Amino acid sequence: SKLTSLGQLEMTWRSKFHYDPLLVRVLHKSRLRYYGKPEKKMDMPYQAYFEVADGSGMMSMVLWNSLCPEWYNSMKVGTVLLLEQYAVKTSYPFKTKPTPRDSQMKRFATIEISLNVRDPPTKITIIPEEMVKPEWGLPEVKYRFITRSELDGLPNNHSCDVIGLVTFVGRAERARKKEHGEDFWLYRWVHAVDGTSDQPFILELFATSQPEVFEHIHPMTYLVCTQMRVVRDLTENPSSAIYLTTSNESQIFITGWHRGQPYTKDTKVRNFIQWTKTQNEVDQMEKAVIGGYYPFPRPPNNFLKY
């Protein structure tokens, strides 16, 4: 069929009612958002953002309502999609934007692709990776893995990906989304080591839309976290340490979920796997801790400073 590109779509979208099919690769995936309200009667008030790209650049794509439970889990980072009968809308200005890993890639920020169950009913086809042809010119998924030894030199809010061997998993904790609201964020603290430093990565992992992974993080698993943000205490509190927290586009993977993921080809991931082969499992098991209360960032040693 006749295909269009994201670049052509941005130039011609106002003059068309029907758009030619698109062939794109998913580069980023947001958590699933529930926007239901008691007074609004909607069957499936769900929404998810994706950043998709072809040879011309990258654009946001929004999956709406009943298409979310049907397609969200199938649309992974790296998945190639053929989209037909989609809608095009001006971009929502307040949504979060992931940090592009390829600085050369053009970003089309004025419009977004909208996938609905009607008006028009979108047709989505997943193209298996073995059928993807090089001549389609689809970009590969890139990563920005850092080692623990590199972390101390990074600025606040820097975006990065990490891999490590889990040595500590805290219990699940809750924090209010708003001061007097009834909604909570669920999160847990995790430590992971990668052999490049005496210090572990300290990770604040909020529950993403991957409960089957979030609930099964345990010591001795190989943990990959993507699109993490560096958090530095910018005040002069000597007891505070640098840590990483999840963003809206973070993905988490543990042992058993790594097969077929695009990051398995990354050099730093391969270096980490080589390091784990030199480690004694019993030694690492003895250092592993699970559960308990983990106050972080730590309060000062005496009450006067506190």
Side-chain angles (χ1 to χ4, degrees), residues 166 169 188 190 205 213-219 221 223 252 254:
V166 175
V169 182
R188 63 198 317 178
V190 174
L205 300 185
V213 176
F214 181 80
E215 290 163 15
H216 293 101
I217 301 170
H218 52 77
T221 192
L223 176 69
I252 301 170
I254 54 174

Side-chain angles (χ1 to χ4, degrees), residues 148 151-152 156 168 170-171 173-175 187-191 199-206 229-233 237-245 292-300 306:
R148 179 60 186 84
L151 175 61
D152 294 330
N156 188 56
F168 162 72
R171 66 189 185 195
E173 299 179 47
R174 298 195 307 170
Y187 68 99
R188 63 198 317 178
W189 290 100
V190 174
H191 286 191
Q199 298 297 315
F201 285 114
I202 301 175
L203 307 169
E204 182 184 36
L205 300 185
F206 284 88
R229 301 269 174 195
V230 176
V231 181
R232 286 178 172 278
D233 190 347
N237 181 355
S239 66
S240 68
I242 186 169
Y243 67 95
L244 297 167
T245 190
Y293 175 59
Y294 182 67
F296 189 85
R298 298 245 163 88
Y306 198 43

Side-chain angles (χ1 to χ4, degrees), residues 95-111:
K95 80 175 193 67
T96 62
K97 293 184 176 67
T99 305
R101 296 174 178 126
D102 184 354
S103 56
Q104 306 299 311
M105 185 174 288
K106 189 168 182 186
R107 186 183 189 108
F108 304 113
T110 54
I111 58 171

Side-chain angles (χ1 to χ4, degrees), residues 216-272:
H216 293 101
I217 301 170
H218 52 77
M220 303 305 292
T221 192
Y222 297 172
L223 176 69
V224 168
C225 303
T226 65
Q227 283 287 312
M228 300 291 283
R229 301 269 174 195
V230 176
V231 181
R232 286 178 172 278
D233 190 347
L234 301 175
T235 62
E236 294 179 24
N237 181 355
S239 66
S240 68
I242 186 169
Y243 67 95
L244 297 167
T245 190
T246 45
S247 68
N248 198 39
E249 294 80 25
S250 290
Q251 300 273 293
I252 301 170
F253 302 95
I254 54 174
T255 305
W257 293 83
H258 299 309
R259 187 184 295 277
Q261 297 295 343
Y263 57 73
T264 52
K265 304 172 195 161
D266 190 276
T267 308
K268 284 185 177 167
V269 172
R270 292 186 167 180
N271 290 347
F272 168 78

Side-chain angles (χ1 to χ4, degrees), residues 46-209:
Y46 290 101
Q47 178 207 56
Y49 276 99
F50 297 80
E51 299 293 327
V52 297
D54 61 12
S56 65
M58 182 167 78
M59 188 180 289
S60 292
M61 176 184 87
V62 193
L63 193 65
W64 287 99
N65 303 331
S66 59
L67 288 182
C68 287
E70 186 180 351
W71 287 99
Y72 182 80
N73 283 342
S74 309
M75 292 181 176
K76 300 178 170 64
V77 171
T79 299
V80 174
L81 304 171
L82 176 66
L83 305 174
E84 301 169 82
Q85 296 170 214
Y86 50 88
V88 177
K89 298 182 178 176
T90 51
S91 277
Y92 178 65
F94 302 113
K95 80 175 193 67
T96 62
K97 293 184 176 67
T99 305
R101 296 174 178 126
D102 184 354
S103 56
Q104 306 299 311
M105 185 174 288
K106 189 168 182 186
R107 186 183 189 108
F108 304 113
T110 54
I111 58 171
E112 60 191 26
I113 300 155
S114 189
L115 308 185
N116 290 289
V117 79
R118 55 179 174 273
D119 301 329
T122 304
K123 187 182 173 194
I124 303 167
T125 311
I126 290 179
I127 310 290
E129 191 59 38
E130 61 272 14
M131 289 173 65
V132 175
K133 296 176 181 169
E135 56 264 32
W136 294 350
L138 296 177
E140 293 298 313
V141 180
K142 293 189 175 180
Y143 291 92
R144 285 187 180 178
F145 277 95
I146 60 157
T147 61
R148 179 60 186 84
S149 60
E150 294 168 329
L151 175 61
D152 294 330
L154 296 178
N156 188 56
N157 211 33
H158 181 85
S159 175
C160 58
D161 311 308
V162 296
I163 183 169
L165 178 71
V166 175
T167 55
F168 162 72
V169 182
R171 66 189 185 195
E173 299 179 47
R174 298 195 307 170
R176 283 187 195 278
K177 290 185 181 182
K178 294 177 184 167
E179 196 173 340
H180 301 294
E182 294 181 7
D183 287 342
F184 292 87
W185 292 115
L186 188 70
Y187 68 99
R188 63 198 317 178
W189 290 100
V190 174
H191 286 191
V193 295
D194 69 356
T196 65
S197 167
D198 295 337
Q199 298 297 315
F201 285 114
I202 301 175
L203 307 169
E204 182 184 36
L205 300 185
F206 284 88
T208 56
S209 301

